[in-house]
Amino acid sequence: FSKKKGDDDHAINLEEGKTYRFRIERTEKNADEEEYFVASDIHGGEHLLNVRYYGHYGFAIGDTFRGRVIRYGAGKRKTIEPENPWYRPGEIIEVTLAGMTPLGTEEGFMAEVFDSFGFSHNIFLEAPPVSSTLRCRILKMRKGRPVFEVLT
């Protein structure tokens, strides 16, 4: 989530769908001891990025990054999705199947796959694949992770 004292929607001065430059100012913990990066925007507003989702980006205090203003759903607050250093929406990448588990609903499988960057991902498959290599399109980024569409 984002924060700026006195604002109900903390990214109020930032336009949804646009990309802006942000700067990592510090890290802090919330009441539950969860750690966040505090990033400032061009208007001085501060936004919290959960280290759990973005720690692997390698952010350090003083770093700048480009981030897009998004909403995860209707009625939700605007938030910042930093540009991922490895993935871009629309790109097509190949992943290697590492394992598969049938879903209890018998409506498909949850597959664990690895990409060329060494990251593992879970993707839904309707049926077992013919090959151990799958081509996927990156639909979008969500909380620092790519959302894949398996191509046939």
Side-chain angles (χ1 to χ4, degrees):
F1 60 96
S2 303
K3 72 174 191 170
K4 185 174 179 182
K5 289 176 180 61
D7 284 344
D8 185 38
D9 186 345
H10 304 297
I12 198 157
N13 293 323
L14 304 178
E15 192 176 325
E16 188 175 345
K18 281 199 161 188
T19 300
Y20 297 90
R21 190 151 287 291
F22 297 87
R23 182 177 191 272
I24 301 293
E25 300 295 341
R26 63 188 179 281
T27 59
E28 62 181 43
K29 292 185 178 182
N30 68 3
D32 295 332
E33 291 296 305
E34 196 150 15
E35 192 172 14
Y36 290 85
F37 293 110
V38 179
S40 61
D41 65 33
I42 58 173
H43 302 292
E46 291 187 337
H47 310 273
L48 300 179
L49 301 171
N50 196 314
V51 170
R52 179 173 27 140
Y53 302 134
Y54 302 103
H56 65 288
Y57 280 32
F59 289 145
I61 294 171
D63 285 354
T64 60
F65 66 91
R66 290 170 41 89
R68 190 163 174 229
V69 177
I70 61 164
R71 284 185 206 267
Y72 287 126
K76 302 272 185 176
R77 298 182 149 186
K78 290 186 278 188
T79 190
I80 309 308
E81 180 69 53
E83 285 185 350
N84 189 290
W86 301 281
Y87 311 105
R88 298 275 179 265
E91 282 183 341
I92 295 175
I93 68 168
E94 285 192 351
V95 295
T96 304
L97 184 66
M100 237 177 13
T101 306
L103 297 174
T105 58
E106 298 180 17
E107 293 178 2
F109 301 85
M110 188 53 65
E112 181 181 11
V113 298
F114 289 89
D115 63 30
S116 61
F117 301 111
F119 293 111
S120 71
H121 310 277
N122 291 316
I123 59 174
F124 170 77
L125 297 174
E126 291 182 6
V130 222
S131 166
S132 64
T133 303
L134 303 168
R135 291 186 53 197
C136 297
R137 175 179 289 116
I138 299 170
L139 294 176
K140 62 183 178 179
M141 300 301 299
R142 181 167 173 90
K143 296 184 178 178
R145 305 284 296 179
V147 175
F148 294 116
E149 170 189 31
V150 179
L151 302 174
T152 54

